[in-house]
Amino acid sequence: MRLENYIDHTLLKADATDSEIKELCLTAKQHRFYAVCVNGCHVSLAKRLLEGSKVKVAAVIGFPLGATSTPVKVFEASEYVQNGADEIDMVLNIGWLRARQMTTVQDEIAEIKKTIGQKILKVILETCYLTKEEIKWACEAAIAAGADFVKTSTGFGTGGATLEDVAYMHEIVGNRIKIKASGGIKDAKTAREYIKMGVSRIGTSSGVAMVAP
């Protein structure tokens, strides 16, 4: 497997500068990563820097808490797609999920997917806060709403991806939806373990080290 084909090269820290985004995009092009994943304010810059390459631009919305209102998330998604985002990584409303407001959770995901059309939608579950039952609910809601991926983590919660959680997610979703593992994945060995489990994308800020000879 070519690891670079799975990597969303990620920089989401609050103090990221334009020069750091430029470096992110340069290294993504050099190593032929699948995508860069950035905050919304950097989408236009990343799109310009990646022009002419095959590297996609993913933008996060409702990040990192998932607790902004649905209209705000919809506006973010629309704005970032207009600015050049190819993919949207949204944090679902974790409080609604834990309160079993499943129709509301599903409707929000569906509205965002409708807004971005054929663009890829990844739904971040933030599994560190969820029980297995809640992970199942979240996966089922994402599938029913037409999302393209479920994603483990923001990287800003109390924990990131785990092999146990990903195995359970795969058991639930099968081939109905793809999985992105993200949060705390820092070496090639771990990344390859996730891929062997059926993960289609790896979110990491350590992509360069992973593909180093």
Side-chain angles (χ1 to χ4, degrees):
M1 74 182 65
R2 298 187 64 88
L3 193 54
E4 62 269 25
N5 295 335
Y6 291 85
I7 291 176
D8 285 1
H9 194 35
T10 302
L11 179 56
L12 296 170
K13 62 182 184 178
D15 60 348
T17 64
D18 283 0
S19 62
E20 289 173 313
I21 297 297
K22 290 176 183 177
E23 179 64 20
L24 182 85
C25 293
L26 175 63
T27 54
K29 287 196 292 185
Q30 287 175 337
H31 296 286
R32 300 180 181 179
F33 292 140
Y34 190 91
V36 297
C37 186
V38 297
N39 282 301
C41 64
H42 299 301
V43 168
S44 296
L45 174 61
K47 193 66 175 180
R48 289 198 306 271
L49 293 167
L50 293 168
E51 188 175 359
S53 78
K54 293 183 179 180
V55 181
K56 306 294 186 185
V57 177
V60 292
I61 68 170
F63 196 85
L65 303 178
T68 47
S69 68
T70 299
V72 170
K73 288 181 181 177
V74 168
F75 177 83
E76 281 189 289
S78 177
E79 175 82 1
Y80 301 158
V81 166
Q82 288 179 39
N83 290 344
D86 303 291
E87 304 185 350
I88 296 295
D89 289 29
M90 67 163 287
V91 187
L92 61 69
N93 191 304
I94 301 161
W96 287 348
L97 177 70
R98 297 192 65 230
R100 304 191 180 193
Q101 297 174 232
M102 298 312 305
T103 299
T104 312
V105 171
Q106 182 177 316
D107 287 349
E108 178 176 83
I109 299 168
E111 190 167 349
I112 292 164
K113 180 58 181 176
K114 180 180 179 182
T115 298
I116 67 173
Q118 296 303 308
K119 304 294 185 181
I120 296 296
L121 178 61
K122 308 187 199 91
V123 179
I124 306 172
L125 313 188
E126 201 69 297
T127 51
C128 62
Y129 297 129
L130 306 180
T131 64
K132 282 194 171 183
E133 185 177 30
E134 289 163 349
I135 290 171
K136 181 178 181 180
W137 295 342
C139 288
E140 294 291 357
I143 292 165
D148 302 282
F149 279 78
V150 282
K151 175 178 170 181
T152 58
S153 317
T154 63
F156 288 75
T158 57
T162 69
L163 294 169
E164 180 184 0
D165 284 343
V166 168
Y168 183 62
M169 290 166 67
H170 192 267
E171 181 182 324
I172 296 162
V173 307
N175 295 320
R176 293 183 294 166
I177 196 170
K178 295 178 180 179
I179 298 173
K180 176 176 174 179
S182 184
I185 304 171
K186 298 184 180 301
D187 61 86
K189 180 178 181 293
T190 304
R192 291 181 188 280
E193 286 186 62
Y194 281 114
I195 293 166
K196 287 177 183 176
M197 294 174 70
V199 164
S200 298
R201 207 79 68 80
I202 299 288
T204 182
S205 59
S206 302
V208 174
M210 286 183 183
V211 300

